[in-house]
C-alpha cells in the first residue's frame, strides 16, 4: 500500500521505504475487585513511514527508530492500560504514540490480530478466570499521520460458516471445458475474511464509549452470519456465493452508517457428493444428499468490496 508521503526522490530515482516490527505477541490481564478477570491476546505489527533515507544511502542510522524499541513500546503501553480497552483503541494508542513522539515519523500503520479467547461457563455460571479459544480472529488496522488524519478499519479472519441446504449454482457460463453440473441443492461453506473501514477521520471524531469498537465488531459479525444463514426455520436461498456475499456487505452498510466500506473474501469450500461403485457393485455408496467428501483444495475464491459513493478506499 503506497501512501502519498511514502515516496521521495533520491539521486533522480523514486524511493519508497518503511520499517517496523512484526509478530509482537502480547497478552494482557485485567483484574476486577470482585474477582472477575479479563484476558486478551494480541499479535501486533507496526510500520513507520519516516525520514530516515540517510540510513539507506549514506550509512547514517541516527533517525532510525529501532524495531526493538517498537517491540518494547508495545509491552510498555499494554502495561500503562490500567483499564480494559478494545484492540482498535490499543492500535490507535500505539499509532498516536509513534507518530507524535518522533519528529522524523510522518505516518504509523498498526495492524493487530486478536485471538478469540472466550469466557467459559461451569455449572451454568460464567467462570471468573477461565477461557477457551475460539476459531476466528478480530483484526484491526490503524493509520495515523502527523497531520492528524486517522483511518480505522476492523475485520474478521477465519469465520467458518456452513449451511447444509438452501444453496445452488445454476445458469453459469459453459464452454468445452465446463464439467460442473448445475444444482439447486448443495452445501454452502466458507472460511470468510472481512474488513470494514470506519468513516472517522481524526482522533476527535471517534466515539468516547469504552467498548464502542468491540460492540460494533460483535454486531457486524452477527449481521454477516445472520445474512448468510437466513431465518432459523426456513433459511434463505443462495443462488451463488457472489450473491450472498453482496447481500452480506450491503446489509452491513445499511445497518451501520459509521462504516464507509466493506470488503469480503469468501472461499467456496467444497463438499463433494460421495458416489462409490465398482464393476461388480454399482452402489457401494449412492449419493442421496447425505454423504459428502469435504475438500478445500482447490477451492473457489470470491472477493468483493462495497463502499459508499463518498468513500475513499
Amino acid at each position: 500500500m503506497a501512501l502519498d508521503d511514502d515516496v521521495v526522490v533520491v539521486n533522480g530515482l523514486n524511493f519508497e521505504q518503511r520499517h517496523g516490527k512484526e509478530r509482537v505477541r502480547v497478552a494482557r490481564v485485567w483484574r476486577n475487585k470482585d474477582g472477575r478477570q479479563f484476558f486478551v491476546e494480541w499479535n501486533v505489527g507496526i510500520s513507520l513511514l519516516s525520514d530516515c533515507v540517510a540510513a539507506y544511502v549514506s550509512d547514517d542510522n541516527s533517525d532510525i527508530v529501532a524495531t526493538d524499541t517498537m517491540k518494547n513500546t508495545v509491552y510498555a503501553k499494554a502495561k500503562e492500560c490500567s483499564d480494559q480497552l478494545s484492540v482498535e483503541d490499543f492500535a490507535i494508542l500505539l499509532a498516536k504514540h509513534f507518530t507524535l513522539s518522533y519528529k522524523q515519523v510522518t505516518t504509523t500503520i498498526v495492524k493487530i490480530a486478536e485471538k478469540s479467547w472466550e469466557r467459559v461457563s461451569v455449572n451454568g455460571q460464567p467462570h471468573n478466570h477461565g477461557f477457551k479459544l475460539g476459531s476466528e480472529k478480530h483484526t484491526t488496522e490503524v493509520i495515523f499521520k502527523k497531520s492528524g488524519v486517522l483511518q480505522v478499519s476492523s475485520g474478521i479472519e477465519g469465520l467458518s460458516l456452513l449451511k447444509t441446504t438452501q444453496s445452488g449454482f445454476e445458469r453459469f457460463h459453459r464452454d468445452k471445458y465446463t464439467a460442473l453440473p448445475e444444482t439447486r441443492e448443495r452445501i454452502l461453506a466458507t472460511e470468510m475474511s472481512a474488513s470494514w473501514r470506519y468513516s472517522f477521520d481524526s482522533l476527535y471524531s471517534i466515539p468516547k464509549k469504552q467498548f464502542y469498537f468491540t460492540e460494533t465488531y460483535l454486531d457486524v459479525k452477527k449481521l454477516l452470519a445472520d445474512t448468510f444463514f437466513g431465518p432459523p426455520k426456513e433459511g434463505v436461498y443462495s443462488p451463488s456465493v457472489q450473491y450472498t456475499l453482496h447481500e452480506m456487505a450491503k446489509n452491513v452498510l445499511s445497518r451501520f452508517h459509521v462504516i464507509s466500506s466493506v470488503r469480503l473474501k469468501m472461499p467456496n469450500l467444497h463438499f463433494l457428493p460421495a458416489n462409490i461403485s465398482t464393476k461388480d457393485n454399482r452402489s457401494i455408496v449412492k449419493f442421496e444428499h447425505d454423504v459428502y467428501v469435504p475438500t478445500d483444495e482447490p477451492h473457489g475464491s470470491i472477493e468483493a468490496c462495497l463502499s459508499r459513493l463518498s468513500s475513499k478506499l
Side-chain angles (χ1 to χ4, degrees), residues 125-242:
Q125 296 295 318
H127 201 284
N128 273 356
H129 54 265
F131 300 85
K132 63 181 178 67
L133 184 60
S135 57
E136 69 272 7
K137 294 180 180 178
H138 177 178
T139 63
T140 189
E141 178 184 71
V142 170
I143 302 174
F144 184 60
K145 296 187 175 186
K146 190 79 83 178
S147 63
V149 173
L150 176 73
Q151 179 180 316
V152 181
S153 300
S154 298
I156 307 167
E157 285 185 5
L159 179 61
S160 296
L161 304 173
L162 179 149
K163 58 183 185 179
T164 55
T165 189
Q166 285 285 56
S167 172
F169 191 49
E170 302 174 283
R171 300 187 304 279
F172 48 87
H173 178 78
R174 307 191 74 91
D175 59 33
K176 64 181 181 180
Y177 300 115
T178 304
L180 183 69
E182 296 188 359
T183 182
R184 286 190 59 83
E185 181 62 38
R186 66 173 184 172
I187 289 177
L188 179 60
T190 187
E191 188 175 295
M192 184 185 70
S193 296
S195 63
W196 53 91
R197 179 174 170 179
Y198 292 96
S199 57
F200 314 126
D201 58 5
S202 71
L203 292 170
Y204 307 103
S205 60
I206 295 175
K208 300 299 186 286
K209 187 177 180 182
Q210 184 181 12
F211 296 113
Y212 174 81
F213 287 110
T214 300
E215 291 174 359
T216 304
Y217 165 80
L218 293 173
D219 289 343
V220 170
K221 183 171 74 167
K222 183 179 185 302
L223 179 59
L224 289 170
D226 288 351
T227 305
F228 179 90
F229 295 121
K233 294 294 185 181
E234 65 272 19
V236 62
Y237 183 72
S238 170
S240 67
V241 177
Q242 285 84 345

Side-chain angles (χ1 to χ4, degrees), residues 70-86:
M70 300 181 202
K71 177 202 69 178
N72 294 341
T73 301
V74 172
Y75 296 108
K77 291 300 178 182
K79 176 70 174 179
E80 291 174 9
C81 294
S82 56
D83 294 325
Q84 188 182 359
L85 77 169
S86 70

Side-chain angles (χ1 to χ4, degrees), residues 23-65:
R23 298 184 64 82
V24 181
R25 295 180 60 186
V26 57
R28 182 63 158 94
V29 176
W30 290 276
R31 296 175 171 86
N32 285 359
K33 293 180 180 179
D34 62 3
R36 200 173 199 205
Q37 302 187 9
F38 298 87
F39 176 80
V40 293
E41 181 183 348
W42 293 324
N43 192 324
V44 182
I46 301 161
S47 188
L48 303 185
L49 279 61
S50 63
D51 184 12
C52 63
V53 176
Y56 293 87
V57 300
S58 60
D59 195 22
D60 178 359
N61 296 337
S62 58
D63 285 324
I64 291 181
V65 179

Side-chain angles (χ1 to χ4, degrees), residues 239-289:
S240 67
V241 177
Q242 285 84 345
Y243 181 88
T244 297
L245 181 154
H246 183 265
E247 288 294 295
M248 294 164 74
K250 182 179 68 175
N251 285 351
V252 170
L253 291 181
S254 296
R255 178 83 60 85
F256 301 94
H257 299 294
V258 295
I259 293 176
S260 59
S261 63
V262 183
R263 180 175 295 276
L264 300 180
K265 185 173 184 179
M266 294 175 60
N268 188 7
L269 306 182
H270 303 300
F271 287 75
L272 306 178
N275 279 303
I276 303 175
S277 63
T278 67
K279 181 173 65 174
D280 299 323
N281 187 346
R282 294 293 184 183
S283 58
I284 295 176
V285 176
K286 182 180 179 182
F287 179 68
E288 296 176 325
H289 299 287

